[in-house]
Amino acid sequence: MLIFTFLKHVGIYCTLMYRVFSQPDQWRMFFRQLPKEMEKLVVNSLGIVVVISIFIGAIMTIQTKLNTEDPLLPVYATGLVTRDTLLLEFSSTIMCLILAGKVGSNIASEIGTMRITEQIDALEIMGVNSANYLILPKIAAFVLLIPCLVFFSMATGLLGGYFACVFTDILTTHDYMIGIQYLFIPYYIFYSVVKTFFFAFIIASVSSYYGYYAYGGALDVGKASTNAVVNSSVIVLIFNVLITNLMLT
Amino acid sequence: MIEVQRVNKSFDEIHVLKDLSARFDSGKMNLIIGQSGSGKTVLMKSIIGLHQADSGKILYDGRNFMQMRFNEIKELRKEVGMLFQGSALFDSLSVLENVMFPLEMFSGMTNREMIARAKFCLIRVNLKEQSFNLSPSEISGGMQKRVAIARAIALNPKYLFCDEPNSGLDPITALVIDKLIQEITAEYNITTIVNTHDMNSVMEVGDHILFIDKGVKAWEGSRNEIFDVSDNDALNEFVFASELFKKVKYALHK
Ligand SMILES: Nc1ncnc2c1ncn2[C@@H]1O[C@H](COP(=O)(O)OP(=O)(O)O)[C@@H](O)[C@H]1O
Ligand SMILES: [Mg+2]
């Protein structure tokens, strides 16, 4: 029974995506929507990304140092661990989970409201492909600009670690700087960015799906939005395991 | 002219429309009346394809809608305007941009022509210039309805659908909106179908009336005949639900 419901969702999701990825009725309208969505979904998320990354970077440096108080460990260890954790998982996966909450609920509630107030019907009546008009700019904006958020997160996370060294006497900034440059593997950045392309697509499309098929009243839009966040987070986690397996082992 | 022939529509267990046939002529106000839940909205949405009818025929000037391919439906939709129950204006766009929206999608006009056409439609529904740049949430319900009408007629539709156009409006504004739809219908010879449960609208503008009871066509006629139907309990119950119309009938027969 559960598998049946699951397959039904997948089926409807795929038909929706088929409609999303068709030729826009007016490219002009698409290019007018795109910058608006970029601002709403990405630029407005920069704040939260920066704040969270700085604090996590700082905390990670402090925790790593505290939990590895061993004179035999080289001085670069703390910086290196902080850097690799940021590059490999935090700035991609954890960041996307946080964004699933912010961006996912934003997308689902916006599209869901348009559904229950018949704005989507109004588009369809005009002969507009509503799925394409509403959803494609969101997916495109989020997927295209997600690397910026990742880079910001990596940079400010490392900066957070640096601040931890400056404001506490746990570690000297000199040791930290050596650490974050030691054995640097550029491939990790590539790996992170590739992952987030997938995650961004999942978050934007799954949230759009829940919003697009909302039915009922304001309460149902709330439910759609919760479903969007929970389910896109779970799918992101599953894909994280799959992609990590493919790219790192 | 739109013809509906023996249309059925069910949702899972509920059989909403039962073998419904009707004919809606152009240039006239065709009213679909009935209690809430009788299937008016479902009938309207089946005619325009927002719901898929299970069986039957829907003919737009002889063109069978149910057999149209995706692209043909898309073309037909450009000849259709619809006024939704809650106006369904796009929140993110201004009043003027709402009316320009269908033009930008399909007209191929220049920007200046689109603005001119949108302003013409807005002025036609008696809106003032100073409201053109407001957003839909900043104007009253009656004004939202007018904007929605302007948007629906922007592309010169041949068919106009209105789902409860005066629900939630005061009696005076409701009448103004009804009259406006009637004028536009006559002026451009549009095939107009209006859903309503408001007897005032029926008496004011009902050229051709279709009464639906639990998904079945229970009566058809004009507003002049509607008071004198002796053999239809459901209709009488609907028409004379309000004390006012009981008194009217009483006065007429004295
Ligand atoms: N999308 C839907 N899914 C299931 N049932 C529906 C749907 N839309 C309408 N119905 C049912 O169809 C019946 C008629 O509804 P409707 O046409 O909206 O009535 P009204 O005459 O008030 O417009 C109602 O019983 C309603 O519950
Ligand atoms: Mg209705």
Side-chain angles (χ1 to χ4, degrees), chain A residues 215, chain B residues 11 14 16 35-43 51 164 195:
Chain A
Y215 172 76
Chain B
F11 292 104
I14 341 168
V16 181
Q35 286 186 26
S36 280
S38 55
K40 302 185 293 292
T41 302
V42 173
L43 173 59
H51 292 319
E164 315 238 348
N195 275 352

Side-chain angles (χ1 to χ4, degrees), chain A residues 19 25-26 28-29 32-33 36 113-114 117-129 133, chain B residues 45 48 50 74 77-78 80 82 84-86 88-91 93 101-102 104-106 114 151:
Chain A
R19 290 191 59 212
D25 295 294
Q26 272 291 349
R28 190 160 41 106
M29 299 297 258
R32 190 181 300 173
Q33 291 302 103
K36 287 188 196 166
T113 306
M114 293 191 73
T117 55
E118 297 183 306
Q119 292 175 51
I120 291 183
D121 286 345
L123 285 169
E124 288 293 322
I125 282 301
M126 289 174 193
V128 177
N129 178 345
Y133 173 73
Chain B
K45 290 195 171 175
I48 38 190
L50 288 176
K74 229 170 141 66
R77 290 264 166 89
K78 292 172 196 169
V80 171
M82 179 153 182
F84 288 88
Q85 205 162 342
L89 297 175
F90 304 125
D91 309 309
L93 304 178
F101 186 89
E104 291 190 87
M105 275 291 179
F106 300 115
M114 287 191 286
R151 186 178 68 182

